[in-house]
């Protein structure tokens, strides 16, 4: 049963990677502005974000469970003196699954935080470009040194 939950976590991780790559791809400002405004104003996008927030709550619970299971397997490993090859192999399999689940849920939560920060930064950047004030008028021009510069 636990593999079904971790399959869902993996699917969410793949979706996060896809959205992150979509956000950082170089594209015209008009397209990026349309994408950001759609994601911030669309009812469908808001419902998806609400569902993802609920999923992050479950992922946090799965992460806590995976960490506890990892600690339990490590404690059993140190307590037991295994001579049987089958029991040793079973212990290594349990350790592998516990570590895999810990890393999977942890990186999914971490990438989710990065995705939220990237989305807000790009939204601020796109909003700054569309003001009419523009970032070119507010930032000082850097002096260029080269063949075309006047000294």
């Amino acid at each position: 049963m636990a593999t079904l939950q971790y399959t869902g976590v993996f699917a969410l991780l793949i979706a996060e990677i896809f959205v992150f790559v979509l956000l950082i791809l170089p594209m015209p400002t008009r397209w990026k502005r349309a994408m950001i405004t759609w994601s911030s104003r669309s009812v469908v996008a808001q419902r998806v974000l609400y569902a993802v927030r609920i999923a992050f709550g479950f992922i946090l619970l799965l992460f806590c469970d995976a960490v506890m299971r990892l600690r339990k397997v490590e404690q059993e490993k140190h307590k037991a003196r295994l001579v049987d090859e089958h029991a040793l192999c079973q212990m290594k399999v349990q350790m592998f699954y516990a570590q895999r689940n810990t890393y999977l849920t942890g990186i999914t939560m971490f990438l989710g935080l990065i995705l939220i920060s990237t989305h807000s930064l790009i939204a601020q950047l796109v909003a700054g470009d569309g003001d009419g004030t523009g970032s070119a008028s507010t930032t000082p021009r850097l002096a260029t040194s080269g063949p075309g510069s006047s000294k």
Side-chain angles (χ1 to χ4, degrees):
M1 184 67 169
T3 57
L4 184 62
Q5 288 113 356
Y6 290 110
T7 303
V9 171
F10 182 70
L12 183 62
L13 178 65
I14 295 299
E16 285 179 352
I17 290 171
F18 176 74
V19 170
F20 183 72
V21 167
L22 190 66
L23 280 175
I24 65 170
L25 276 177
M27 61 179 69
T29 309
R30 184 181 329 146
W31 292 1
K32 201 164 274 218
R33 185 179 299 123
M35 184 175 61
I36 296 295
T37 54
W38 177 82
S39 69
S40 63
R41 294 182 183 167
S42 173
V43 176
V44 174
Q46 296 300 321
R47 288 183 182 168
V48 168
L49 286 175
Y50 183 72
V52 167
R53 286 182 186 142
I54 292 172
F56 275 124
F58 286 122
I59 291 172
L60 180 64
L61 290 175
L62 286 173
F63 179 73
C64 293
D65 180 56
V67 168
M68 288 177 16
R69 189 168 297 164
L70 181 64
R71 292 183 70 190
K72 178 182 167 189
V73 169
E74 285 177 352
Q75 288 174 356
E76 288 176 4
K77 178 182 170 186
H78 292 296
K79 284 182 187 176
R81 302 278 183 237
L82 299 175
V83 181
D84 184 23
E85 288 294 320
H86 180 69
L88 183 63
C89 184
Q90 184 68 25
M91 182 67 70
K92 287 183 178 182
V93 166
Q94 287 177 354
M95 180 67 90
F96 169 75
Y97 284 132
Q99 288 175 346
R100 180 202 65 178
N101 295 341
T102 303
Y103 289 131
L104 178 66
T105 54
I107 197 68
T108 302
M109 289 189 309
F110 182 70
L111 187 59
L113 293 174
I114 290 174
L115 191 61
I116 291 168
S117 299
T118 305
H119 181 272
S120 66
L121 285 173
I122 290 175
Q124 289 174 0
L125 180 68
V126 168
D129 286 345
D131 286 5
T133 59
S135 61
S137 63
T138 58
T139 58
R141 299 198 66 147
L142 296 176
T144 59
S145 60
S149 65
S150 59
K151 292 185 179 182

